[in-house]
């Protein structure tokens, strides 16, 4: 453990190599120590009482000094059936490290080798925590890398080598490229008052607003079916605000050339963009099981 790591842990760098009456060879990084502390919920492995991070020491279930006595270590591994019960075990590895209080637990244990049954039970408990330890390590390295990149970006903005606008535009460009395969979303819109004044509706179409909206939506669905051979469906219920109507649909497997002949007089295509740009998430995540109906509502297709 280097001086900076010792200062962070609250231990004296001049005596940090002395532990349990033996010489500790492995120098634990702060990432290793913090990952262990987090994975064991900030508690001592032996007494299970709360353990402050700055007080924590890392103990070896099977004493570290055995790494300097390969024959003794080989016999212990064989007699205790370590490799049978815990494949991949290493003296200096998370498979053998646990967080412990420095005095009442770690120093008291010292270089003691526990009996076989107890050792195997302790190693089994360590194995149970390995997945969480590894996740903590990965998160810490990822966070450290992220902090470095964000720091460099902040410096570039502060020195006016980049503007916030430049960063936003670049991020938007990268996101668009990353989601270029997202399906097309179309927003159809009309103004009811203009539609009624145009006298272009067929005879018998109801003019009362809610019923007219139902008819218009179903008519749109029928028309789209006639020109599109691939599935489509609403992304949300239509928007009805008294004098207008808006319908938004997604077309997961659309051949865009099929829309070249779109010609439904009272509907306008207000917007055509990718699903991700509209909703900020991937289509497959928003609709893992796409609706079997094209639209929402009580009307049945005919």
């Amino acid at each position: 453990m280097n001086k900076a790591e010792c200062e962070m842990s609250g231990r004296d760098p001049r005596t940090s190599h002395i532990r349990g009456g033996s010489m500790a060879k492995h120098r634990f990084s702060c990432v290793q120590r913090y990952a262990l502390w987090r994975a064991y919920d900030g508690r001592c492995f032996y007494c299970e009482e709360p353990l402050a991070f700055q007080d924590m020491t890392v103990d070896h279930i099977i004493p570290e000094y055995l790494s300097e006595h390969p024959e003794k270590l080989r016999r212990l591994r064989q007699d205790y059936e370590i490799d049978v019960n815990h494949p991949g075990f290493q003296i200096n590895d998370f498979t053998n490290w646990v967080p412990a209080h420095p005095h009442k637990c770690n120093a008291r244990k010292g270089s003691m080798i526990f009996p076989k049954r107890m050792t195997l039970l302790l190693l089994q408990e360590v194995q149970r925590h390995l997945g969480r330890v590894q996740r903590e390590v990965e998160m810490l390295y990822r966070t450290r890398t992220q902090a470095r990149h964000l720091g460099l970006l902040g410096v570039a903005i502060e020195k006016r080598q980049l503007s916030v606008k430049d960063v936003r535009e670049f991020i938007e460009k990268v996101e668009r490229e990353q989601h270029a395969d997202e399906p097309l979303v179309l927003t159809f819109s009309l103004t009811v008052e203009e539609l009624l004044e145009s006298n272009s509706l067929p005879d018998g179409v109801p003019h009362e607003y809610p019923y007219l909206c139902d008819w218009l939506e179903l008519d749109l669905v029928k028309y789209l079916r006639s020109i599109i051979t691939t599935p489509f469906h609403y992304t949300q219920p239509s928007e009805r605000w008294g004098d207008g109507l808006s319908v938004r649909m997604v077309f997961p497997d659309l051949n865009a050339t099929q829309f070249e002949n779109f010609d439904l007089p009272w509907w306008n295509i207000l917007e055509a963009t990718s699903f991700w740009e509209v909703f900020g998430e991937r289509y497959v995540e928003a609709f893992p099981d796409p609706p079997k109906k094209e639209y929402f509502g009580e009307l049945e297709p005919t």
Side-chain angles (χ1 to χ4, degrees):
M1 182 174 294
N2 61 35
K3 182 177 180 181
E5 290 171 338
C6 290
E7 289 171 349
M8 180 176 290
S9 68
R11 294 164 63 186
D12 187 340
R14 295 167 298 179
T15 59
S16 64
H17 64 290
I18 301 174
R19 186 168 55 84
S22 61
M23 300 292 288
K25 298 297 182 182
H26 184 82
R27 293 180 178 272
F28 297 100
S29 71
C30 285
V31 167
Q32 291 170 335
R33 298 182 71 254
Y34 190 66
L36 276 172
W37 184 76
R38 290 265 302 174
Y40 286 82
D41 296 318
R43 293 183 177 274
C44 175
F45 177 78
Y46 296 110
C47 69
E48 298 185 344
E49 293 181 3
L51 171 64
F53 175 68
Q54 64 269 23
D55 295 333
M56 184 190 83
T57 56
V58 179
D59 186 43
H60 296 72
I61 298 293
I62 293 180
E64 185 183 20
Y65 80 87
L66 287 177
S67 62
E68 298 179 349
H69 302 278
E71 184 56 29
K72 287 184 179 179
L73 178 58
R74 186 193 65 77
R75 285 201 304 270
L76 183 137
R77 295 180 79 126
Q78 183 176 344
D79 294 343
Y80 279 29
E81 300 178 304
I82 299 292
D83 297 305
V84 174
N85 291 282
H86 302 287
F89 171 85
Q90 297 294 329
I91 284 282
N92 271 312
D93 185 78
F94 288 114
T95 54
N96 192 42
W97 295 337
V98 293
H101 286 109
H103 302 298
K104 68 175 183 176
C105 296
N106 192 352
R108 184 180 300 171
K109 171 181 174 284
S111 56
M112 178 194 309
I113 299 176
F114 293 118
K116 175 180 177 179
R117 179 176 174 80
M118 181 179 291
T119 296
L120 293 178
L121 286 173
L122 292 176
L123 291 178
Q124 182 178 341
E125 183 66 15
V126 171
Q127 286 281 339
R128 194 173 67 83
H129 285 80
L130 280 182
R132 186 173 176 186
V133 172
Q134 191 56 46
R135 288 193 295 273
E136 292 291 344
V137 170
E138 290 172 358
M139 183 199 70
L140 287 167
Y141 278 116
R142 186 167 58 247
T143 302
R144 189 162 65 180
T145 301
Q146 180 188 60
R148 180 168 60 86
H149 290 312
L150 288 175
L152 291 172
L153 180 61
V155 170
I157 293 173
E158 189 175 85
K159 291 184 175 181
R160 298 187 179 180
Q161 297 167 339
L162 287 171
S163 69
V164 173
K165 181 182 177 183
D166 292 333
V167 175
R168 285 176 179 158
E169 290 177 349
F170 179 73
I171 291 172
E172 289 172 2
K173 178 177 180 293
V174 170
E175 287 180 332
R176 281 196 301 272
E177 291 173 351
Q178 288 180 340
H179 298 87
D181 59 341
E182 285 294 293
L184 183 68
V185 172
L186 295 177
T187 304
F188 303 90
S189 179
L190 58 80
T191 303
V192 172
E193 185 178 353
E194 292 178 359
L195 175 60
L196 294 175
E197 289 177 354
S198 70
N199 294 318
S200 58
L201 289 171
D203 294 338
V205 175
H207 284 201
E208 294 86 352
Y209 180 73
Y211 303 108
L212 175 59
C213 287
D214 287 345
W215 185 90
L216 287 167
E217 289 190 44
L218 184 56
D219 186 63
L220 174 63
V221 170
K222 289 178 179 177
Y223 177 77
L224 291 173
R225 282 182 183 167
S226 72
I227 65 171
I228 295 173
T229 58
T230 54
F232 60 90
H233 62 85
Y234 280 28
T235 58
Q236 68 233 40
S238 60
E239 293 186 11
R240 304 181 180 188
W241 56 87
D243 60 351
L245 175 62
S246 177
V247 172
R248 181 172 276 162
M249 293 186 181
V250 60
F251 300 81
D253 304 302
L254 178 68
N255 180 347
T257 59
Q258 294 178 315
F259 255 96
E260 292 177 355
N261 299 322
F262 181 85
D263 183 24
L264 196 56
W266 38 79
W267 286 100
N268 298 310
I269 299 179
L270 187 65
E271 181 184 48
T273 187
S274 75
F275 187 91
W276 182 85
E277 286 185 272
V278 176
F279 298 103
E281 60 180 325
R282 297 190 68 85
Y283 172 75
V284 294
E285 295 171 355
F287 291 97
D289 299 306
K292 296 199 172 18
K293 286 185 178 182
E294 290 96 342
Y295 62 95
F296 298 129
E298 297 178 355
L299 292 175
E300 291 295 332
T302 59

